[in-house]
Amino acid sequence: MAQFLTTVQTWLVDQVASEQFVGLLRAVLLVVAGLVLARLSRVATVRALGDRLNRQQLMLIRRTVSYTILILFLISAMRELGFDFGVLLGAAGIVTLALGFASQTSMSNLISGLFMILERSLEIGDVVRIGSTTGEVLTIDLLSTKLRTFDNLLVRIPNETIVKAEITTLTRFPIRRVNVRIGVAYKEDLKRVQEVILEVVDRNPLCLEEPKPILIAQGFGDSSIDYLLGVWAKRENFLEVRNRLQREIKETFDQEGIEIPFPQRSLHAGSATEPLPVRLVAADSPQPPNI
């Protein structure tokens, strides 16, 4: 009898061990299958929707599909290992309630990120100015947006801040206007000055003929008559056009004898008097008497 009981006990242990091994093997196979299907779903999503969505929307859908498939397979694998999801779901409800009160800022960033993706106010690759930060958009995640500045720094901005801020996209349109401020002396022939400036623009091959350049007289400054020159250029030539125009205008003014004045001040001892005389005195000359 004892021998029989021992045999039965050994058989039961072997059966339990065999079932545990089979369950573990099934769980491993489910995880591997989930990883493979998640990867295949990402590739299929890119092929099916790549031409109809921008990069940010495509990345969001790709991640959502792959993570959903992977989570479903992980849950199935955990069930094969004997996890009781009734207890886990009850605990998860309590944890979720506690996290909801503790993560109001995260939820606000999450909702803001969804609005940004749907509104398409930003796209990956755009050069934008948000507040005092200017840079290229690297990623638009659900909680934050990452920018790379022109000096190669990574800046992370919460989505809630971006939704509330003023956003300037510098690369949305194919052309931009280059604004150059120019001051000329009061003694100059203003008609000739305008002709010289427009000639410089005509000689520059990077300046577009359409839309036409504009030259606006902005008024009488403290030391000069001020002009605003607006020239249109392709987006990728913006910086080069601005640098070349300033250099070429300065060189042409020097050749034509046109003066670009610097700030000057005249001192008067009353409303109707001549300017105060200024006399240079050598160091070894006698000092004038004090008055």
Side-chain angles (χ1 to χ4, degrees), residues 26 66 87 89 93 98 113 134 143 168 176 179 185 192 200 225 231-233 248 272 280 288:
R26 289 178 179 175
S66 61
V87 177
L89 290 175
T134 302
L143 296 181
T168 302
R176 288 184 61 185
N179 293 328
R192 177 57 182 160
V200 172
I225 298 178
V231 178
W232 291 92
E248 292 170 357
L280 298 177

Side-chain angles (χ1 to χ4, degrees), residues 37 40 122 160 235:
L37 288 178
L40 292 177
L122 295 179
E160 182 182 9
R235 181 182 62 198

Side-chain angles (χ1 to χ4, degrees), residues 128-147:
V128 299
R129 181 167 59 245
I130 303 174
S132 59
T133 303
T134 302
E136 179 187 359
V137 179
L138 295 181
T139 61
I140 306 175
D141 298 322
L142 292 179
L143 296 181
S144 65
T145 297
K146 297 180 179 63
L147 304 181

Side-chain angles (χ1 to χ4, degrees), residues 95-165:
V95 173
T96 303
L97 182 61
L99 290 177
F101 287 106
S103 59
Q104 295 181 5
T105 301
S106 298
M107 290 302 298
S108 177
N109 288 325
L110 177 63
I111 295 173
S112 300
L114 292 175
F115 277 122
M116 288 171 53
I117 293 172
L118 294 175
E119 188 183 21
R120 299 179 63 180
S121 55
L122 295 179
E123 294 185 6
I124 295 176
D126 285 347
V127 177
V128 299
R129 181 167 59 245
I130 303 174
S132 59
T133 303
T134 302
E136 179 187 359
V137 179
L138 295 181
T139 61
I140 306 175
D141 298 322
L142 292 179
L143 296 181
S144 65
T145 297
K146 297 180 179 63
L147 304 181
R148 180 172 60 190
T149 63
F150 294 138
D151 51 351
N152 207 31
L153 298 178
L154 179 65
V155 180
R156 176 185 177 275
I157 304 177
N159 288 334
E160 182 182 9
T161 302
I162 296 178
V163 169
K164 296 179 180 179

Side-chain angles (χ1 to χ4, degrees), residues 159-180:
N159 288 334
E160 182 182 9
T161 302
I162 296 178
V163 169
K164 296 179 180 179
E166 177 181 316
I167 304 174
T168 302
T169 304
L170 306 179
T171 56
R172 178 57 58 90
F173 303 113
I175 62 174
R176 288 184 61 185
R177 195 179 77 180
V178 181
N179 293 328
V180 180

Side-chain angles (χ1 to χ4, degrees), residues 201-250:
V201 174
D202 291 338
R203 291 197 302 265
N204 193 317
L206 299 180
C207 298
L208 300 179
E209 295 181 0
E210 290 292 337
K212 294 183 179 180
I214 58 173
L215 184 61
I216 302 174
Q218 292 190 306
F220 300 97
D222 293 338
S223 305
S224 62
I225 298 178
D226 299 325
Y227 285 93
L228 173 65
L229 173 64
V231 178
W232 291 92
K234 292 183 179 180
R235 181 182 62 198
E236 58 271 19
N237 297 331
F238 176 81
L239 293 178
E240 184 177 358
V241 169
R242 185 168 66 179
N243 291 333
R244 284 186 58 174
L245 275 181
Q246 296 190 50
R247 183 182 70 250
E248 292 170 357
I249 289 174
K250 173 64 168 58

